[in-house]
Amino acid sequence: MTGLEPLIPIALFFSIAATAILRGPLGKALAERISGQAAERSASLDDGEVRAELDEVRYRLHDVEERLDFTERMLTRGQQLPKLEEGDGRDGP
């Protein structure tokens, strides 16, 4: 016994994990990147498509900013409201 026996299952595990990862979407993207197909695809976008996508992102960012402002106003308004005492203000038991 050389003391290297525990390395066999570890090596087997990493081999199986690497195979599973590289056969999936990550491996396909890496293969496209190496072959140069990814660069060709990104270069094929014209200025109109890029501008349209940029406009959509700007619109969505503006919408998110408005929602954030509304939420901030509601939170500050909630802090300014007077707190109710023990009851809820109704008559009854």
Side-chain angles (χ1 to χ4, degrees), residues 5-23:
E5 287 82 15
L7 293 180
I8 294 172
I10 294 172
L12 181 64
F13 171 75
F14 281 115
S15 299
I16 293 172
T19 303
I21 290 172
L22 292 177
R23 290 183 61 94

Side-chain angles (χ1 to χ4, degrees), residues 43-64:
S44 68
L45 293 175
D46 64 356
D47 286 342
E49 291 176 2
V50 172
R51 288 182 190 271
E53 194 168 331
L54 181 61
D55 288 339
E56 181 183 347
V57 169
R58 285 181 179 158
Y59 173 77
R60 293 179 70 187
L61 177 63
H62 180 71
D63 187 41
V64 168

Side-chain angles (χ1 to χ4, degrees), residues 65-81:
E65 288 173 342
E66 285 181 1
R67 290 176 183 211
L68 177 65
D69 290 341
F70 175 77
T71 305
E72 288 174 344
R73 284 193 307 269
M74 290 294 111
L75 286 174
T76 6
R77 176 189 269 172
Q79 291 174 354
Q80 295 171 353
L81 291 176

